[in-house]
Amino acid sequence: MSSFRIIQVSDTHLSRERPFFCGNWDAVVTHINAAKPDLVINSGDIALNGADVEDDLRFSAEQHARLQVPVRTIPGNHDIGDNPASPDDAPKQPIADDRRRRYLAHFADEFWTQDAGDWRLVAMNAQLLGSGLPAEESQWSFLREAFKDAGRKPIALFLHKPLFKDEPGETNESKHRYVVPTPRQRLFDLARDTNLKLVACGHVHQHRIFEKDGITHVWAPSTAFILPDAYQPRIGTKEVGLVEYDFDGAEVAVRVVVADGMQQTNIIDVPGAYGDLSKKMAAHTPAVAAQ
Ligand SMILES: [Fe+2]
Ligand SMILES: [Fe+2]
C-alpha cells in the first residue's frame, strides 16, 4: 500500500500582458513549493487567452516552471478553444488544430496517464469531445487502452469540464458548462467495467465535492477569480483556492485549501480581463465564455 499526494490547480488564467491573476498565482507557487506534493495537475484554462494569444501560453509555461515539483496539465477552453455543444453550435473560439498545436508547443500533452501510488491517473482533453477533429478519435483510443490497462486499479479521471451537474443522464443543463450528453455517455460506457472512483475537473470557478453512483466528483476552484451570481448560478462554493489529494492505498482524502495571500477576486471587478461584465450582463451578452 503506497501513498501519493497531488495538488490540483485550475483556471489560473495567466497572462504576461494582462497579469490580473498573477498575485494569486504567486501565493499558489509559495504554497506548493512548501507543501512539496508528488505531482501538480493544472486542469485547464491555464492561460487567460491562450486560444488566441500565444504569449499567454508561453508565459503560463514559464510560470509553471517555478514549481519545484513535477507538473502535468490538460487544456481548457481558454487554452485551445471550445467544442461545439451540438452540430449547429458555433463557439466564439472553437477548438482547432492550430490552437491545439500552439498549446502543445508549450505544454507536453493534452491527454495522458500515469500511476500515482496504487491509483491510475487518466487525464483527457474535454474540448475534443464533439469537436470532429482527428484527435478526438485518437483520444477515444487512448481512453479505451488506458481504462483497459488499469485493470482493477482505482482510477482518477481529470478533465477540464464537469461531466454533469446532478445526474449522469441529464440533458438540459448549460451546454458549455458540462461535457455534452452523447460523449458523456460514451465515456461512462467505456468506464463501466473499470474501478473509476474519482472524477476531477475545473472550469466552473466554483468548488464542490459530491458522490454519485460510487464515484467522487471534485470541482476544483479557480486560483484566479469567481463570477457574480447575476451572471452565473451558485452551484457549489464561490471561492478561489486549490485542491489537495492524499492517496493512501485505495483511499483518497480530498480538501479545498485557500493558500495564504490569495485574494477573492470577482471578475466583475476586473474589466480588463474579459471585458466589462456589468455592461455585458445588461446587454445579456455572455462575456466569459462557457463557465
Ligand atoms: Fe476558467
Ligand atoms: Fe473553462
Side-chain angles (χ1 to χ4, degrees):
M1 200 167 96
S2 58
S3 59
F4 197 90
R5 288 190 305 131
I6 292 175
I7 289 183
Q8 180 190 5
V9 295
S10 199
D11 297 86
T12 43
H13 291 261
L14 296 169
S15 167
R16 191 188 329 265
E17 191 186 2
R18 292 187 282 168
F20 306 111
F21 311 115
C22 289
N24 274 6
W25 176 251
D26 289 343
V28 167
V29 170
T30 301
H31 179 90
I32 289 173
N33 286 343
K36 297 185 174 56
D38 297 297
L39 178 68
V40 168
I41 298 174
N42 189 326
S43 49
D45 287 355
I46 305 167
L48 192 145
N49 187 18
D52 281 337
V53 179
E54 183 165 9
D55 191 61
D56 282 6
L57 294 167
R58 183 181 296 109
F59 176 73
S60 298
E62 290 166 10
Q63 288 299 312
H64 283 68
R66 296 169 62 197
L67 299 172
Q68 296 158 355
V69 295
V71 182
R72 301 196 80 163
T73 62
I74 43 176
N77 48 299
H78 286 280
D79 303 315
I80 55 162
D82 209 355
N83 56 285
S86 60
D88 57 354
D89 178 43
K92 209 169 107 195
Q93 290 177 307
I95 184 171
D97 281 337
D98 59 339
R99 289 183 160 132
R100 286 180 47 249
R101 272 195 291 273
R102 278 202 299 270
Y103 165 84
L104 290 168
H106 297 284
F107 294 95
D109 31 32
E110 57 186 330
F111 47 83
W112 50 266
T113 181
Q114 81 168 62
D115 285 327
D118 294 342
W119 287 62
R120 175 67 54 88
L121 309 179
V122 179
M124 60 180 287
N125 178 352
Q127 292 70 230
L128 279 175
L129 300 173
S131 70
L133 298 176
E136 182 179 4
E137 276 313 310
S138 307
Q139 177 167 259
W140 283 118
S141 302
F142 155 80
L143 287 168
R144 198 176 304 114
E145 283 307 305
F147 285 162
K148 202 169 100 188
D149 190 54
R152 293 307 300 164
K153 274 178 184 258
I155 294 173
L157 176 69
F158 285 80
L159 74 173
H160 182 57
K161 294 183 181 186
L163 291 179
F164 56 84
K165 178 169 171 274
D166 296 315
E167 297 293 334
E170 70 196 16
T171 56
N172 56 350
E173 290 297 335
S174 174
K175 60 184 184 177
H176 287 287
R177 188 175 295 141
Y178 305 99
V179 168
V180 289
T182 303
R184 179 199 307 150
Q185 187 56 50
R186 187 170 173 185
L187 194 58
F188 275 121
D189 288 346
L190 264 190
R192 181 165 297 131
D193 295 324
T194 71
N195 190 12
L196 177 62
K197 288 183 72 170
L198 176 75
V199 177
C201 65
H203 184 55
V204 190
H205 293 226
Q206 301 187 33
H207 64 80
R208 186 179 180 212
I209 302 173
F210 67 100
E211 196 166 318
K212 185 73 188 173
D213 303 332
I215 298 171
T216 301
H217 294 262
V218 178
W219 294 15
S222 166
T223 66
F225 63 86
I226 59 169
L227 292 97
D229 289 353
Y231 185 75
Q232 181 207 50
R234 196 171 278 260
I235 304 164
T237 302
K238 293 194 175 184
E239 180 181 55
V240 304
L242 48 85
V243 187
E244 297 186 339
Y245 300 85
D246 287 330
F247 294 90
D248 192 12
E251 301 301 314
V252 61
V254 187
R255 60 186 170 275
V256 174
V257 174
V258 180
D260 284 350
M262 291 185 94
Q263 302 292 319
Q264 295 298 327
T265 305
N266 192 310
I267 193 66
I268 203 160
D269 299 320
V270 193
Y274 294 104
D276 188 335
L277 210 55
S278 53
K279 279 187 194 152
K280 292 188 181 191
M281 280 193 298
H284 302 290
T285 307
V288 184
Q291 278 98 12

